Amino acid sequence: MSFERVVLIGLGLLGGSIGLAMREALPGTVTIGYDADPATRARAQQRGLTQSVVESAAEAVVGADLVILCVPVGAMASVAAEIAPALREDAIISDVGSAKGTVARALAAALPGHQIIPAHPVAGTERSGPDAGFAELFRRRWCILTPGPEVDPASLARLSALWEALGARVEVMDADHHDLVLAVTSHIPHLIAYTIVGTASDLEQVTESEVIKYSAGGFRDFTRIAASDPTMWRDVFLANRGAVLEMLGRFTEDLTALQRAIRNGDGDALFDLFTRTRAIRRQVIEQGQDDARPDFGRSDH
Ligand code: NAP
């Protein structure tokens, strides 16, 4: 059932974390890594992110029974084309991209006849690169698998078992539904963070030093998200354009309603919304998706 030879293409936060988690949880599995950046390959070798690091994607996948693409969403199609001629016929192909519909279609077009099981571990940090990965990243986090109808149950079970071994909980979902859900839980929040941090830094009446100095009032929590990798997030918004625009329309309407409540002095409307949102926060903590300690467990106040 388990995999014998697993290849990770892209050795940044996600690829590195999978490699380190596999080293702990599945020491019997051979892991091979490749990254387009020679400096990343060298660092990956030093950190032991995979057992070996090779010089090309095609070389990496020879003989592999599982290949996981851990590159930015916009690079998935070209990597798939690179590895296609060297893949074993029965190799399972997966990825970790944050948008699924476009990636699933790109992989299916580039790799006909293969079992393709797109995946999105809903776990991450604002850090990127070969030093960012850590073995515990996926513990108690969800990993969403979006297999097409051609995928056989045995392949799906094998990949699910791998993610569970890394500490994740697995959910299977349609790729387009994934994109809608993640638009609201991840992509729009990132867009809001990028906007508010951009707006604050553009303000003329408030100096940049004041923005930084008084950031503990809430702003700093947005800066963490807004520090996320620019390449990754550019690709996510381009790949998930439809769902993001749909959710952004809903968000804009709700924002306008809030604006009206403030203008009209409608305290009840504000209070009702803030009460509902507080309950959501309680559920996030109860379901183990965040730290219950005040201020996200920061110790600096
Ligand atoms: P990352 O730390 O920047 O790692 C990506 C790595 O892939 C980089 O080393 C990059 O090299 C390399 N790469 C780019 N194009 C390549 C190519 N054509 N061939 C081989 N390697 C290539 O990014 P990450 O955070 O691990 O994200 C990887 C994927 O995971 C993305 O699809 C992202 O949407 C998804 N994801 C991210 C998070 C998160 O929180 N970060 C969470 C869940 C899923 P260069 O730096 O030289 O370009």
Side-chain angles (χ1 to χ4, degrees), residues 10 12-14 35-37 70-73 79 96-98 121 123-125 128-129 232:
L13 172 65
L14 267 288
D35 193 285
D37 183 347
C70 306
V71 298
V73 166
V79 175
V96 293
S98 307
T125 74
S128 53
M232 168 187 160

Side-chain angles (χ1 to χ4, degrees), residues 105-165:
R105 286 183 280 277
L107 296 184
L111 303 167
H114 280 283
Q115 295 279 300
I116 296 168
I117 311 179
H120 178 202
V122 187
T125 74
E126 66 282 13
R127 298 187 59 226
S128 53
D131 284 300
F134 55 100
E136 300 77 24
L137 180 64
F138 308 111
R139 289 205 190 138
R140 303 189 70 200
R141 298 286 169 258
W142 287 98
C143 181
I144 301 173
L145 305 183
T146 66
E150 74 291 351
V151 168
D152 64 60
S155 300
L156 187 60
R158 283 174 84 192
L159 190 64
S160 300
L162 179 125
W163 278 106
E164 280 163 2

Side-chain angles (χ1 to χ4, degrees), residues 1 10 34 36 39 45 70 101 104 113 125 135-136 138 141-142 156 159 165 193 222-223 245 258 260 266-267 276 284:
M1 267 298 271
Y34 169 73
Q45 193 120 46
C70 306
T125 74
E136 300 77 24
F138 308 111
R141 298 286 169 258
W142 287 98
L156 187 60
L159 190 64
F222 286 102
T223 63
L245 290 177
L258 216 51
R260 196 166 43 240
D266 185 352
R276 273 199 291 134
V284 169

Side-chain angles (χ1 to χ4, degrees), residues 21-86:
M22 287 191 63
R23 193 168 73 185
E24 277 188 24
L26 301 164
T29 306
V30 175
T31 57
I32 301 113
Y34 169 73
D35 193 285
D37 183 347
T40 299
R41 291 202 295 274
R43 185 65 189 132
Q45 193 120 46
Q46 276 173 351
R47 284 197 73 202
L49 299 183
T50 48
Q51 287 167 10
S52 63
V53 177
V54 298
E55 296 291 302
S56 83
E59 180 188 346
V61 303
V62 172
D65 48 1
L66 173 66
V67 178
I68 307 180
L69 309 186
C70 306
V71 298
V73 166
M76 297 286 180
S78 65
V79 175
E82 250 177 281
I83 61 173

